[in-house]
Amino acid sequence: LLERHSVNAQPVPRRTRDPRRRTCSGGRRPRICSRMIAVRAALALSMVLLPAPQGAESPTQIVASVIRAVEHDSAAQVGAAWSERLRHDPRDRAALLALSVLGARTYDVQRAKSFLLRLLAPDAPADSYAAYGAIEHAKALYSRGMLAPAESAFAGAQTRARAAHDRNAEFESALGLAMARTRTLGAVAGTRALDSLGRVIPRDPILDATWRCERASLAARSGDRDAAALARAGIAVAHRAGDDLLEARCTWILAQDYVRRGDLGGAAGIIQRAESMLARARERSGLAAMLQWHGYLEVSVGNFGPARRLLERSVREAEASGNLSALAWSLLDLGQISFSMNDLA
């Protein structure tokens, strides 16, 4: 998903080598050699990390490259590159989308909002950049447990996707809307919406895996025997597509089905794998929710020591990412541990 830079340079005359100069290996100019090495390393890094040149990017490529930058701890470099593009052209739609997503993914809410407002300005084009900016904003709200605002944001994103005639964006926003309504309106409404979307899944592996995993989540909650098969299929598709965050989400849903079947030991092993994936990807909000769920699982079987460690870690991740839902539930579970151990101080 990362584009490589291509340079269409004109041929230049070959310069005659000065016999008095020595190469770096000769050791005559160590400072210059060190600088040359640093410059070459920076150029090599930019080939991997910097955004694609104008005209070569799509909104989905931009979102994927920003997420990968956060995962690989290169958000600062990528952010600087996009900021430079925006400085040269304040109307650069690709740069506005990238910086908005980068702010959301690094939990800088105000920065993300400032770029999003410019991207979605009333006089801005009704294009796919606007649609995906709105989708990523809705996802950020949902991940922080802000369900009613997320539901409204997904509905708005769907409207923008339709205006942009972007079928994949429309499906993704409708899928997010179904996920939110599952939490706000109940499983029946969510199942109806997801089953309807299942008949029109675009030919996109990420969207396919996302639908499978969300449908598996509902199946696990309702005791449907298809839950594990749906979750494993989603895991496989997400893994082949290289989407670690989605693979972790599907893995968590598989763990929920193990709990439903009474296999708490198996569930703990699966959820630990998903937690490791989210920690490596620096997805702190999702990790906070997952740690809270795992901590509650340990509380339910009386493993208060491991539960406390998981929940305290969840609190840290929730505070850092602004996940108010995970924070509230973790504090409630920690209170339950204290009450059970007669620790009322």
Side-chain angles (χ1 to χ4, degrees):
L1 293 175
L2 290 176
E3 298 286 335
R4 296 192 62 175
H5 288 270
S6 61
V7 180
N8 298 319
Q10 297 295 321
V12 295
R14 186 186 298 273
R15 291 200 292 180
T16 305
R17 181 181 177 87
D18 187 344
R20 294 173 296 176
R21 286 184 174 271
R22 294 189 182 180
T23 63
C24 287
S25 59
R28 285 286 295 274
R29 297 190 174 192
R31 289 185 180 178
I32 294 175
C33 294
S34 298
R35 291 173 186 166
M36 289 176 64
I37 291 170
V39 169
R40 287 170 181 168
L43 287 172
L45 183 66
S46 71
M47 295 289 286
V48 177
L49 297 178
L50 294 185
Q54 278 282 25
E57 66 253 317
S58 72
T60 51
Q61 286 176 323
I62 291 167
V63 171
S65 66
V66 168
I67 293 172
R68 185 171 287 111
V70 174
E71 292 175 351
H72 294 169
D73 201 22
S74 57
Q77 298 96 315
V78 171
W82 283 114
S83 295
E84 181 65 15
R85 270 184 54 163
L86 193 62
R87 188 180 69 81
H88 285 290
D89 180 6
R91 298 173 299 177
D92 188 328
R93 307 281 292 158
L96 288 171
L97 173 62
L99 291 168
S100 174
V101 175
L102 187 61
R105 293 286 175 166
T106 54
Y107 309 107
D108 189 340
V109 176
Q110 292 306 315
R111 181 173 172 82
K113 184 178 179 180
S114 68
F115 292 115
L116 182 70
L117 289 174
R118 292 168 62 182
L119 186 67
L120 306 183
D123 59 345
D127 56 15
S128 293
Y129 293 112
Y132 278 98
I135 288 170
E136 291 301 313
H137 172 62
K139 286 181 180 178
L141 292 172
Y142 185 82
S143 74
R144 302 205 309 271
M146 304 173 70
L147 300 178
E151 181 180 352
S152 177
F154 276 122
Q158 187 176 32
T159 300
R160 292 183 181 278
R162 285 172 179 162
H165 305 290
D166 190 322
R167 183 169 177 264
N168 282 17
E170 184 177 352
F171 180 89
E172 186 168 0
S173 56
L175 186 56
L177 185 58
M179 290 161 49
R181 285 180 174 169
T182 297
R183 304 283 298 279
T184 59
L185 299 179
V188 174
T191 300
R192 188 185 306 116
L194 285 171
D195 286 348
S196 177
L197 288 171
R199 295 189 286 270
V200 292
I201 301 174
R203 292 180 178 274
D204 181 284
I206 300 300
L207 296 179
D208 185 347
T210 303
W211 180 86
R212 291 175 187 273
C213 294
E214 294 309 321
R215 190 63 186 84
S217 178
L218 281 176
R221 289 169 57 184
S222 62
D224 192 329
R225 294 181 179 179
D226 293 336
L230 282 165
R232 287 194 176 95
I235 291 169
V237 176
H239 182 77
R240 288 196 298 270
D243 192 323
D244 292 342
L245 299 182
L246 182 55
E247 185 178 351
R249 164 74 176 158
C250 298
T251 302
W252 182 13
I253 292 166
L254 181 62
Q256 293 172 20
D257 188 62
Y258 270 63
V259 171
R260 180 193 63 80
R261 290 184 284 158
D263 187 353
L264 302 187
I270 292 171
I271 198 66
Q272 286 171 0
R273 186 165 73 245
E275 289 164 0
S276 297
M277 294 176 70
L278 289 188
R280 288 196 302 270
R282 295 172 175 78
E283 172 48 50
R284 305 189 74 174
S285 182
L287 180 59
M290 200 173 288
L291 289 166
Q292 183 276 321
W293 184 86
H294 189 183
Y296 175 74
L297 181 66
E298 297 295 345
V299 169
S300 68
V301 294
N303 292 334
F304 295 142
R308 185 186 294 276
R309 289 190 291 273
L310 288 164
L311 293 166
E312 288 174 347
R313 186 181 171 198
S314 174
V315 167
R316 292 193 297 272
E317 298 296 331
E319 289 177 336
S321 62
N323 189 333
L324 301 181
S325 176
L327 178 61
W329 283 111
S330 293
L331 292 173
L332 185 64
D333 293 337
L334 284 168
Q336 182 179 344
I337 292 174
S338 297
F339 184 79
S340 299
M341 299 180 69
N342 201 28
D343 180 7
L344 304 181

